Amino acid sequence: MKSKLVPQVLTIAGTDSGGGAGIQADMKTMQERHVFSTCVVAVTAQNTLGVLDVEVMTKRMIDQQFKALAEDLDIKVAKTGMLANTAVVNAVVENYQKYDFGPLVVDPVMIAKGGAKLLSDDAIDAVRTQLAPLAYLTTPNLPEAEKLAGMEIKNNADVKEAARRLQQLGVKNVLIKGGHFSDQPESRDYVLFENGEEMELTGPRFETNNTHGTGDTISSVIVAELAKGASLKAALRTGKSFINAAISDGIQVGHGHGPLNHWAYGEEEQ
């Protein structure tokens, strides 16, 4: 029986025992986009209502996870999610410089949907100064972009200025997700490319509480599409379409910020 080669990708993030965000959302999404996903993990205890606890891996275990992947697998593209603290950020930076895992998508996860803080203040500085310069693309939401750019974002002009500041940190391409502008009828995301070109991704705004894992999911779609050879523009558009489908064709799980429907976009394609 003949086996087919498939692109292999990596998510470096925290788990979500509730299944809606983090590595669980990443790997579900990557599977839906027909790539093989691997992971380097931290562990959280959480559900749709919030985060109960976080257990961070030791540097030795992070190093060993990277080593295990590098010795056996052919990683084409990788992403980061929740990195918890400075020691983890530094360990990820060290290992990413050591191994060739392709372009890096940095999703600077800082706060969970339920409000729990997932990145310490000193770790934010480490992301800004150490991890950002390695990023092919970063995908912050508005609050995360404010933290990294060191400014308030109140309007579209501020979004563009924040993206420019992120590029000054060394990030090649920037996607700032605009879902937090809740007074706008559409969800508008802004993209600033390495060559200075701009693009907007627009979609309908859905009245729902079930958006847990949105940032993890869109960055995972982008990683998968890049690994399959898509251009960044095409990957971004697929990511936006995937999210629109996953929210609009919702599922009911739990009693808080519920998860997305990760198989909705695949059903649309059939």
Side-chain angles (χ1 to χ4, degrees):
M1 187 174 72
K2 186 177 180 180
S3 298
K4 62 181 178 181
L5 294 172
V6 295
Q8 298 156 40
V9 298
L10 167 63
T11 170
I12 309 159
T15 67
D16 174 2
S17 51
I23 280 174
Q24 280 81 349
D26 292 340
M27 299 185 84
K28 289 175 185 178
T29 302
M30 292 164 174
Q31 181 80 8
E32 284 292 323
R33 299 312 302 151
H34 299 172
V35 297
F36 185 84
S37 55
T38 66
C39 60
V40 171
V41 306
V43 179
T44 73
Q46 66 175 294
N47 53 31
T48 66
L49 299 172
V51 179
L52 280 67
D53 204 355
V54 178
E55 186 75 30
V56 177
M57 297 293 106
T58 64
K59 183 180 184 303
R60 177 182 175 280
M61 180 54 72
I62 293 171
D63 291 345
Q64 289 296 97
Q65 289 180 82
F66 271 97
K67 183 174 184 287
L69 295 177
E71 287 181 346
D72 186 42
L73 297 169
D74 182 19
I75 306 297
K76 296 296 186 185
V77 188
K79 62 157 287 188
T80 62
M82 187 209 78
L83 299 179
N85 61 35
T86 302
V88 174
V89 174
N90 290 339
V92 169
V93 169
E94 178 184 318
N95 279 283
Y96 214 84
Q97 291 172 323
K98 182 176 181 180
Y99 302 112
D100 181 11
F101 286 160
L104 179 65
V105 176
V106 174
D107 181 15
V109 178
M110 296 181 184
I111 300 173
K113 276 288 189 298
K117 191 173 183 180
L118 297 175
L119 194 66
S120 63
D121 289 335
D122 60 331
I124 293 172
D125 287 333
V127 169
R128 185 186 293 113
T129 60
Q130 304 298 319
L131 188 62
L134 301 180
Y136 173 70
L137 171 71
T138 190
T139 62
N141 59 30
L142 291 174
E144 291 161 352
E146 286 182 328
K147 283 281 190 182
L148 291 174
M151 60 176 286
E152 283 189 303
I153 298 177
K154 296 181 178 180
N155 51 48
N156 289 333
D158 291 342
V159 170
K160 294 184 177 186
E161 174 60 24
R164 284 192 290 268
R165 292 191 184 189
L166 293 180
Q167 280 191 335
Q168 289 170 0
L169 298 176
V171 178
K172 289 182 173 64
N173 303 282
V174 180
L175 163 64
I176 297 182
K177 297 167 292 190
H180 287 69
F181 277 148
S182 58
D183 57 338
Q184 294 187 357
E186 290 183 309
S187 173
R188 291 180 173 270
D189 304 330
Y190 173 75
V191 184
L192 179 61
F193 293 101
E194 184 178 8
N195 63 3
E197 187 179 348
E198 300 172 297
M199 183 171 78
E200 271 199 351
L201 299 167
T202 62
R205 187 177 296 280
F206 302 103
E207 293 299 322
T208 178
N209 203 37
N210 297 332
T211 57
H212 186 44
T214 303
D216 306 304
T217 298
I218 192 169
S219 58
S220 294
V221 175
I222 294 165
V223 165
E225 298 307 303
L226 291 175
K228 291 186 292 185
S231 68
L232 179 55
K233 282 186 180 179
L236 289 162
R237 291 191 181 106
T238 301
K240 188 68 172 180
S241 298
F242 190 101
I243 288 296
N244 289 342
I247 295 175
S248 63
D249 186 11
I251 56 176
Q252 186 58 54
V253 176
H255 300 86
H257 293 279
L260 306 176
N261 179 355
H262 286 95
W263 61 80
Y265 187 69
E267 290 183 339
E268 283 188 356
E269 289 186 312
Q270 293 175 1

